[in-house]
Amino acid sequence: MSKSDTQKPSIENLLHENRKFKPQKKSFSHYFLQDMSHYLKLYKNSIKNPESFWTRMASEHLDFFKKWKKVFAWKDCKAQWFLGATLNVSYNCLDRHVQSDRKNKAALIWEGEPGETRTLTYLQLSLEVAKCANMLKGIGLHKGDKIAIYMPLIPEAVIAMLACTRIGVVHTVVFGGFSSSSLRDRILDSNCKALITADGGFRKGSAVKMKEMADEALKETPSIKNVIVVKRTHEKVKMFPKRDIWWHELAENYSDSCVAEQLAAEHPLFILYTSGTTGKPKGLMHTTAGYLLGVTLTTKYLFDIKETDIFWCTADVGWVTGHSYLVYGPLSCGATVFMYEGAPIYPEPDRFWKMIAKHKVTILYTAPTAIRSFIRLGKELPKKHDLSSLRLLGTVGEPINPEAWIWYYEVIGNKKCPIVDTWWQTETGAVMIAPFSGVTPTKPGSATLPMFGIEPIILNKDGTPAKKKDGGFLCIKKPWPYMARTIYGDHERYKKTYWQEIEGVYFTGDGARQDKDGYFWIMGRVDDVINVSGHRLGTMEIESAAVEHPLVAECAVVGRPDAIKGQGIVAFITLKKSANINPMLKEEIAKFIIKQIGALARPDEIRFSDSLPKTRSGKIMRRLLRELATTGDIKGDTTTLEDFSVLEKLREKDED
Ligand code: WT7
């Protein structure tokens, strides 16, 4: 394929896409669904009688200690599902498999970046989880307490998460690539009592100093009483007596038997932070039964998990994708999970393909941005390896441009694997719109049709249905069991952001259109959130970080299309009068932003400007900046601009 294909903004490509791929009955048979009419029949029924549908699903797919008395209640935008029921997530992910034929089946196959591997069977994983749960109890954690997990992608991260769920401790996993300030803010917001971390993790051949980052964060987090540290890199770290304990030393004192707590269906399961339109990330809270039902069902139905599958979701546990499809979904289904610690192209650019061939991965679930970087490296790399074990390919995180879709389908899937493009969000907990693999005909760039029980609609801002050809705001008509229940500590913000933006429906923040077949085409965010390499960042979040710099007076951040990352970050900055522009200042500001948020927030471009375009009421006109950053010029409506000379200055080429 030509380079220019990948470089066209994906949204533009999506508008002209009309290829359709029929399911290949010969090479693929869905374990449950026969064909599209079967899907449509079940789907219609799930929408018509949601409570009986979810009741049947919960009874068939999950193990409860106590059944519910009421399926659903809704008050003050607070949903409750399966009221009166008790269950345990780790019981569903472990015990029920240990008690079955899966006892000695591999639950987790892990490969570290240096190349070592570790396999844990369901029995072995359950013993490790029980021991870790006892360790957490031992350091004084109780049901309902919060704990932060800041770890590399090693088995202990999964063990720690499951251990929390075993005793009802609420985890908040913070992505290992986030800076110490981000970690600190999340710990403070959710009031965590303990932290589990590691000395470090391996990335691109070097040891990332996670403990050092954690120590920096913990200087300002009085709520943290203990830190459990996994020895991974064996680099020297500072251990604070009384506060810090090595995982392996603590483990020696505890037994590997721990009964799973019987938790209420609505017991908080985890808090996960994600970016919104304001500077402060929001802690979305998910609860036990509904979330587990969502990830279990979608893993079974959309990814068609079978007993012999090896499922590789390449996301980090620090993102919702890692929670739902690296840990909870596949383990609840009793599948074998493959997990890799490090960078995808280290030490050689074909590391991904080498591991798929070595471990015989059958399902690969990754992000469009990764696919686009592989395209750039050339198809010779995957072709060097035997990828014939693959039978299904998933994507998530951002709209996939049709050319990347086709490449994934042809080069990686050898035209025999269905492509499962999954649309969902941290807030939705699990997949909402995606093809049923091998059943739903696919169209490159479209996430296709909704999951059972989910009713997406496209509306105008006033709540009226949008015209099909124009598209509009993607909303979900009714609450569903696996949605986030609240923003931790700020239910008002939850209500306002999701249920009151368009009264009475869930507002996703995405624009979308529907084609004549009813397929959904996601057009990207309609708010001040940008999507960089499938990671969600608030423009305000980056702006607030930048203005903390002593020389920055004002900053406006916009996204612009990027051939590999989906969107890139452009920061327009006005400096304080006292600033002395030196050639290093841009790099210094970039580093300053990274220090506060993490490397993923590095601006692709910083532009200095004497002033920023504003309306008469003083609002920065980001729309104009977005246009300038994207096309190099401003042709849009400028009538509300306060000072026209700003435009000329902005257009002037930035020399340094
Ligand atoms: C936003 C949510 C859900 C896990 C990863 C991201 C975008 C996600 C798709 C897709 C088009 C997508 C949306 C959404 N997005 N998947 N298949 N097609 N866009 O979770 O960080 O909460 O971000 O990612 O814009 O709102 P997240």
Side-chain angles (χ1 to χ4, degrees):
M1 68 174 289
S2 75
K3 208 170 155 200
S4 65
D5 282 333
T6 43
Q7 282 174 348
K8 270 187 227 158
S10 57
I11 300 302
E12 203 176 291
N13 285 2
L14 290 181
L15 293 173
H16 306 292
E17 183 56 47
N18 51 23
R19 281 168 286 193
K20 192 166 176 174
F21 289 75
K22 287 213 182 88
Q24 293 155 317
K25 288 240 168 61
K26 255 194 242 142
S27 59
F28 202 97
S29 72
H30 194 278
Y31 91 104
F32 170 75
L33 278 180
Q34 285 126 34
D35 52 23
M36 273 313 269
S37 59
H38 190 192
Y39 160 77
L40 287 171
K41 192 174 145 217
L42 293 176
Y43 176 74
K44 280 190 189 134
N45 186 27
S46 72
I47 298 300
K48 221 166 105 201
N49 306 305
E51 295 201 8
S52 70
F53 170 74
W54 292 118
T55 298
R56 193 155 51 78
M57 289 299 114
S59 317
E60 277 174 23
H61 297 274
L62 300 184
D63 282 18
F64 286 85
F65 297 123
K66 210 159 88 199
K67 286 270 142 122
W68 49 95
K69 293 202 176 76
K70 197 171 175 207
V71 186
F72 174 64
W74 176 255
K75 202 179 159 203
D76 190 30
C77 299
K78 225 170 201 164
Q80 288 182 289
W81 288 88
F82 309 110
L83 282 91
T86 61
L87 75 162
N88 184 284
V89 168
S90 82
Y91 182 92
N92 277 275
C93 291
L94 301 167
D95 303 44
R96 63 168 167 168
H97 307 310
V98 171
Q99 290 156 17
S100 77
D101 293 348
R102 297 190 183 119
K103 183 174 173 178
N104 297 318
K105 172 180 176 173
L108 191 63
I109 300 173
W110 171 82
E111 186 165 317
E113 197 187 70
E116 74 274 50
T117 58
R118 239 174 107 184
T119 300
L120 289 164
T121 63
Y122 270 96
L123 177 65
Q124 289 167 330
L125 182 62
S126 75
L127 298 175
E128 297 279 348
V129 167
K131 190 182 267 273
C132 180
N134 287 331
M135 286 153 58
L136 298 180
K137 282 200 262 183
I139 61 167
L141 292 169
H142 297 106
K143 185 168 119 184
D145 285 343
K146 320 282 182 313
I147 185 169
I149 296 178
Y150 183 64
M151 281 173 109
L153 267 189
I154 53 175
E156 282 77 5
V158 179
I159 295 168
M161 289 164 78
L162 288 165
C164 292
T165 73
R166 195 154 190 89
I167 55 172
V169 164
V170 185
H171 60 65
T172 175
V173 184
V174 180
F175 171 53
F178 273 128
S179 67
S180 52
S181 318
S182 295
L183 175 62
R184 175 201 61 206
D185 293 347
R186 284 155 177 74
I187 290 174
L188 286 175
D189 190 74
S190 51
N191 196 27
C192 292
K193 274 197 173 167
L195 169 73
I196 307 183
T197 186
D199 48 2
F202 290 107
R203 187 106 194 148
K204 294 191 191 138
S206 47
V208 181
K209 295 185 178 3
M210 296 187 85
K211 176 65 165 59
E212 214 170 84
M213 285 280 221
D215 286 340
E216 185 64 30
L218 297 189
K219 280 183 189 158
E220 294 166 89
T221 56
S223 61
I224 297 276
K225 299 286 175 270
N226 285 112
V227 182
I228 302 179
V229 190
V230 178
K231 202 167 229 159
R232 164 71 189 127
T233 59
H234 294 259
E235 299 261 302
K236 209 170 154 36
V237 295
K238 203 166 162 199
M239 294 292 276
F240 292 76
K242 289 205 186 104
R243 191 194 73 181
D244 300 354
I245 326 152
W246 287 109
W247 174 301
H248 61 276
E249 285 177 9
L250 188 64
E252 281 172 17
N253 307 330
Y254 294 96
S255 90
D256 53 17
S257 119
C258 171
V259 178
E261 283 268 349
Q262 308 204 359
L263 300 167
E266 285 298 333
H267 185 74
L269 179 64
F270 63 81
I271 298 169
L272 186 60
Y273 286 83
T274 188
S275 302
T277 46
T278 70
K280 189 171 174 270
K282 359 176 217 200
L284 273 315
M285 196 181 87
H286 282 279
T287 56
T288 303
Y291 172 83
L292 188 65
L293 182 60
V295 296
T296 309
L297 280 188
T298 49
T299 309
K300 269 194 199 166
Y301 286 146
L302 302 174
F303 295 113
D304 182 45
I305 281 266
K306 294 193 169 85
E307 210 52 74
T308 45
D309 274 316
I310 299 190
F311 188 104
W312 183 18
C313 161
T314 65
D316 190 280
V317 282
W319 310 111
V320 75
T321 313
H323 283 58
S324 301
Y325 299 104
L326 185 62
V327 185
Y328 296 120
L331 293 179
S332 172
C333 293
T336 299
V337 168
F338 175 68
M339 175 177 174
Y340 167 61
E341 174 187 32
I345 51 168
Y346 185 84
E348 302 292 339
D350 60 349
R351 178 73 187 259
F352 245 54
W353 319 120
K354 206 172 163 178
M355 289 190 297
I356 289 172
K358 179 176 166 193
H359 298 283
K360 307 281 178 269
V361 171
T362 60
I363 303 177
L364 175 67
Y365 188 32
T366 193
T369 183
I371 299 166
R372 288 191 296 265
S373 2
F374 290 130
I375 295 177
R376 187 168 270 190
L377 294 170
K379 59 175 165 226
E380 297 70 32
L381 291 175
K383 290 284 173 224
K384 262 174 48 191
H385 300 275
D386 175 11
L387 304 181
S388 60
S389 59
L390 288 172
R391 66 177 198 90
L392 196 156
L393 301 172
T395 105
V396 61
E398 50 175 319
I400 182 164
N401 48 316
E403 301 319 315
W405 193 103
I406 298 286
W407 191 89
Y408 200 29
Y409 179 69
E410 292 182 352
V411 178
I412 305 307
N414 202 15
K415 299 188 187 167
K416 72 178 176 66
C417 305
I419 304 287
V420 179
D421 176 358
T422 61
W423 176 86
W424 58 296
Q425 312 175 295
T426 306
E427 294 86 341
T428 70
V431 177
M432 304 286 279
I433 303 177
F436 282 72
S437 49
V439 175
T440 315
T442 49
K443 301 182 189 185
S446 167
T448 77
L449 297 168
M451 171 65 189
F452 297 137
I454 304 298
E455 210 175 345
I457 35 166
I458 300 177
L459 301 174
N460 297 315
K461 202 73 215 244
D462 62 6
T464 55
K467 285 208 184 91
K468 267 208 168 147
K469 66 173 180 21
D470 298 341
F473 300 104
L474 179 65
C475 301
I476 312 291
K477 217 163 161 181
K478 283 190 192 132
W480 62 102
Y482 47 102
M483 67 187 197
R485 299 293 189 262
T486 192
I487 293 174
Y488 183 72
D490 198 351
H491 194 63
E492 280 307 308
R493 186 175 176 199
Y494 173 84
K495 276 183 0 196
K496 224 170 122 235
T497 315
Y498 303 113
W499 297 98
Q500 291 169 347
E501 188 70 32
I502 296 181
E503 199 57 46
V505 295
Y506 170 84
F507 183 79
T508 66
D510 278 336
R513 66 183 179 89
Q514 230 180 330
D515 67 16
K516 60 179 186 348
D517 296 329
Y519 277 39
F520 288 89
W521 297 77
I522 312 295
M523 313 310 282
R525 303 288 307 190
V526 293
D527 51 14
D528 290 327
V529 168
I530 50 179
N531 193 325
V532 181
S533 302
H535 302 321
R536 201 164 136 179
L537 284 164
T539 47
M540 280 272 282
E541 206 179 334
I542 307 172
E543 289 163 6
S544 338
V547 296
E548 293 281 310
H549 187 283
L551 298 180
V552 173
E554 212 172 17
C555 172
V557 167
V558 296
R560 72 158 172 229
D562 182 283
I564 300 289
K565 300 195 286 186
Q567 277 188 301
I569 303 170
V570 183
F572 290 86
I573 285 176
T574 57
L575 295 167
K576 287 193 182 146
K577 290 260 173 335
S578 56
N580 206 343
I581 302 186
N582 68 57
M584 292 313 292
L585 189 54
K586 285 186 182 174
E587 183 57 22
E588 188 189 308
I589 296 174
K591 287 215 172 101
F592 186 82
I593 294 172
I594 291 170
K595 176 124 203 320
Q596 289 178 81
I597 302 175
L600 70 170
R602 173 187 272 280
D604 295 273
E605 189 183 347
I606 291 180
R607 290 198 192 187
F608 291 143
S609 161
D610 290 344
S611 45
L612 296 174
K614 286 184 189 157
T615 61
R616 272 165 218 111
S617 60
K619 239 180 130 191
I620 296 176
M621 295 179 75
R622 284 195 181 70
R623 175 172 58 79
L624 299 183
L625 293 174
R626 218 169 3 245
E627 196 187 340
L628 184 69
T630 308
T631 66
D633 200 4
I634 297 174
K635 294 212 168 73
D637 179 15
T638 54
T639 44
T640 50
L641 194 63
E642 184 215 25
D643 173 7
F644 286 92
S645 70
V646 173
L647 283 189
E648 283 320 305
K649 285 188 198 137
L650 278 169
R651 280 193 188 112
E652 279 166 19
K653 207 169 149 28
D654 199 12
E655 294 302 339
D656 41 12

